[in-house]
């Protein structure tokens, strides 16, 4: 399959026009182990902020719980974004990966006309199958915490190339010629818009939480949660609380593998 590269000058120009002054640097590399790992290393220098790194190929990409995340070159969007959040309190840092999920969903809805949704906490689903995954890593604490957020989006993977049976791609959803440059610009722009709005609100999560809840398909479904330590919780997911935790019955879950029951991922 002939897969076109990301047009770096067009990407930078587009992002500069739609998210002016947000990104200090946007880079695209042919191959790397992990864009998250690369930005984590950069973040040792505390003067570095608001940087995005995209790779045409990741050879050591990873998702939550150290799961492998790989694909053929140029078949995905593999990107990471480093942001520092001055004045945010540690208790609400967990909202950043959820914010990223909202940003990806909104960018894809606008750019493709499709209707992806979120599976708690931040898997992007299309037709009940995983289209994108998000991994956020804290790289600096203190008054100005830094977070690297990685996003992996399946663009033109064929059925044979999918990493797991419950995955999907934009190609399989009926978009055979998705423009990865335009998609990357849309995601970076929406992420910047959401972070800026959150900061302008003094890191208040009210609007963000409302936006997340309306996009989260987990709410209202019967689910099974495998928690750290081996506990398992099953029941109906009744909501997401103000801390971003999933409410299953009377229990608030802050971390774990959640499965949608009744035949869904």
């Amino acid at each position: 399959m002939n897969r076109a590269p990301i047009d770096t000058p067009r990407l930078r120009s587009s992002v500069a026009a739609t998210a002016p002054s947000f990104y200090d640097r946007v880079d695209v590399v042919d191959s790397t182990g992990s864009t998250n790992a690369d930005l984590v290393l950069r973040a040792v220098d505390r003067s570095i902020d608001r940087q995005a790194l995209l790779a045409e190929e990741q050879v050591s990409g990873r998702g939550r719980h150290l799961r492998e995340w790989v694909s053929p070159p140029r078949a995905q969007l593999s990107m990471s974004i480093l942001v520092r959040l001055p004045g945010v309190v540690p208790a609400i840092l967990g909202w950043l990966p959820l914010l990223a999920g909202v940003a990806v969903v909104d960018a894809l809805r606008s750019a493709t006309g499709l209707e992806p949704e979120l599976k708690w906490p931040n898997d992007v689903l299309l037709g009940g199958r995983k289209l994108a995954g998000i991994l956020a890593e804290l790289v600096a604490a203190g008054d100005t915490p830094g977070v690297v957020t990685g996003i992996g989006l399946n663009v033109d993977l064929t059925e044979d190339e999918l990493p797991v049976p419950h995955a999907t791609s934009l190609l399989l959803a009926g978009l055979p010629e998705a423009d990865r440059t335009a998609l990357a610009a849309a995601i970076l722009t929406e992420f910047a818009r959401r972070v800026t709005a959150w900061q302008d609100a003094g890191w208040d999560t009210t609007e963000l939480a409302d936006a997340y809840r309306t996009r989260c398909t987990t709410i209202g479904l019967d689910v099974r949660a495998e928690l750290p330590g081996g506990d398992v919780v099953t029941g109906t997911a009744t909501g997401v609380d103000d801390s971003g935790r999933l409410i299953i019955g009377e229990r608030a879950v802050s971390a774990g593998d959640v499965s949608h029951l009744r035949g869904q991922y």
Side-chain angles (χ1 to χ4, degrees):
M1 182 181 294
N2 182 22
R3 291 173 164 129
I6 293 170
D7 184 333
T8 304
R10 179 160 66 95
L11 174 63
R12 288 172 172 162
S13 176
S14 178
V15 171
T18 55
S21 304
F22 186 87
Y23 292 101
D24 181 60
R25 181 173 170 183
V26 176
D27 293 324
V28 181
V29 298
D30 287 335
S31 181
T32 190
S34 161
T35 55
N36 258 36
D38 291 348
L39 283 192
V40 167
L41 288 176
R42 284 191 198 176
V44 172
D45 181 345
R46 288 180 175 262
S47 68
I48 292 176
D49 190 10
R50 305 294 175 93
Q51 296 197 358
L53 176 63
L54 296 84
E56 299 285 22
E57 177 187 36
Q58 282 194 130
V59 297
S60 303
R62 64 194 189 280
R64 295 174 62 242
H65 308 300
L66 301 180
R67 294 190 181 98
E68 189 178 37
W69 183 277
V70 297
S71 77
R74 301 179 180 175
Q76 282 189 329
L77 276 180
S78 301
M79 68 173 74
S80 296
I81 307 166
L82 165 64
V83 291
R84 300 188 190 274
L85 309 173
V88 72
V89 296
I92 63 170
L93 270 176
W95 274 103
L96 185 62
L98 277 64
L99 176 152
V102 172
V104 172
V105 164
D106 286 358
L108 290 175
R109 288 180 177 181
S110 176
T112 69
L114 299 173
E115 289 293 324
E117 298 175 304
L118 288 168
K119 170 177 170 284
W120 187 90
N122 48 28
D123 281 348
V124 179
L125 302 188
L126 189 61
R129 300 171 72 181
K130 185 172 179 177
L131 180 65
I134 295 167
L135 173 68
E137 299 180 75
L138 182 67
V139 295
D143 293 337
T144 306
V147 181
V148 171
T149 302
I151 300 166
L153 168 68
N154 295 332
V155 178
D156 63 1
L157 289 168
T158 65
E159 197 78 45
D160 291 341
E161 292 172 329
L162 294 176
V164 289
H166 58 256
T168 190
S169 69
L170 294 178
L171 172 68
L172 296 174
L175 294 178
E177 297 180 357
D179 183 340
R180 290 191 307 129
T181 302
L183 289 171
I187 291 171
L188 290 173
T189 297
E190 189 60 27
F191 181 87
R193 189 186 74 80
R194 284 281 173 186
V195 171
T196 300
W198 191 23
Q199 184 170 9
D200 288 347
W203 307 117
D204 181 84
T205 62
T206 302
E207 193 278 333
L208 174 57
D210 288 344
Y212 180 85
R213 291 178 184 121
T214 62
R215 292 156 179 79
C216 182
T217 190
T218 304
I219 298 172
L221 295 182
D222 293 332
V223 300
R224 181 179 189 272
E226 298 180 16
L227 308 183
D231 287 350
V232 175
V233 178
T234 59
T236 301
T238 57
V240 172
D241 70 11
D242 291 341
S243 297
R245 299 177 300 178
L246 183 67
I247 308 302
I248 304 174
E250 301 297 323
R251 187 163 180 177
V253 173
S254 60
D257 272 346
V258 172
S259 301
H260 293 176
L261 301 180
R262 300 186 182 178
Q264 297 191 49
Y265 158 59

